[in-house]
């Protein structure tokens, strides 16, 4: 029987493989969710380079948030990553939700990034 870590890794690789098939040169908006914080980064897989990043650990956000793990924090991080991506000249991305279901904090981050101007 596979361990939980192996199952999550397989699911993340399955999602990433599907993303690679439909990306068509678009950059990847990767989301990581921990129990205390949420992180997002836009990655150029061709160059192996992170173009923009945001998390609930940013000093400006930590002061304004009660905790870094809620829907509110995810929405703020989504708006922040969209703002930084547009500043870097990126408008079209593909969402890499990793092993997480598109639900809850992941959904809040994605919807806020769309409202911020990203297309995916």
């Amino acid at each position: 029987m596979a361990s939980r870590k192996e199952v999550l890794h397989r699911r993340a690789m399955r999602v990433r493989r599907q993303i690679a098939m439909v990306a068509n040169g678009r950059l990847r908006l990767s989301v990581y969710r921990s129990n205390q914080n949420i992180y997002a980064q836009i990655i150029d897989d061709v160059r192996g380079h992170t173009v923009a990043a945001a998390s609930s650990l940013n000093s400006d956000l930590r002061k304004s948030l009660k905790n870094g793990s809620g829907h509110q924090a995810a929405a703020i991080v989504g708006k922040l990553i969209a703002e930084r991506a547009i500043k870097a000249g990126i408008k079209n991305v593909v969402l890499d939700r990793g092993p997480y279901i598109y639900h809850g904090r992941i959904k809040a981050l994605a919807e806020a990034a769309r409202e911020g101007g990203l297309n995916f």
Side-chain angles (χ1 to χ4, degrees):
M1 174 164 234
S3 70
R4 174 114 174 107
K5 186 175 182 179
E6 290 170 344
V7 170
L8 291 177
H9 180 70
R10 256 187 293 166
R11 189 184 310 154
M13 291 299 106
R14 182 173 58 236
V15 169
R16 197 153 301 145
R17 186 172 47 247
Q18 291 169 349
I19 287 170
M21 287 189 291
V22 299
N24 294 329
R26 291 181 291 175
L27 302 182
R28 178 167 53 105
L29 171 59
S30 179
V31 178
Y32 176 72
R33 184 191 77 189
S34 71
N35 287 338
Q36 286 87 24
N37 295 294
I38 190 158
Y39 309 84
Q41 57 183 347
I42 297 180
I43 303 168
D44 182 357
D45 288 320
V46 174
R47 295 188 319 167
H49 182 72
T50 299
V51 179
S55 76
S56 58
L57 287 174
N58 291 6
S59 59
D60 299 336
L61 297 181
R62 284 193 87 164
K63 295 173 185 172
S64 64
L65 294 172
K66 185 176 181 181
N67 63 14
S69 63
H71 294 278
Q72 180 185 12
I76 292 172
V77 170
K79 287 180 183 177
L80 184 61
I81 193 72
E83 175 185 311
R84 290 181 180 176
I86 290 173
K87 191 181 289 184
I90 300 161
K91 196 138 175 87
N92 297 317
V93 295
V94 61
L95 178 67
D96 178 9
R97 60 182 175 80
Y100 313 112
I101 297 170
Y102 185 78
H103 164 286
R105 291 187 278 162
I106 304 297
K107 185 177 179 181
L109 187 142
E111 289 176 353
R114 280 190 187 108
E115 289 173 9
L118 288 181
N119 296 323
F120 53 91

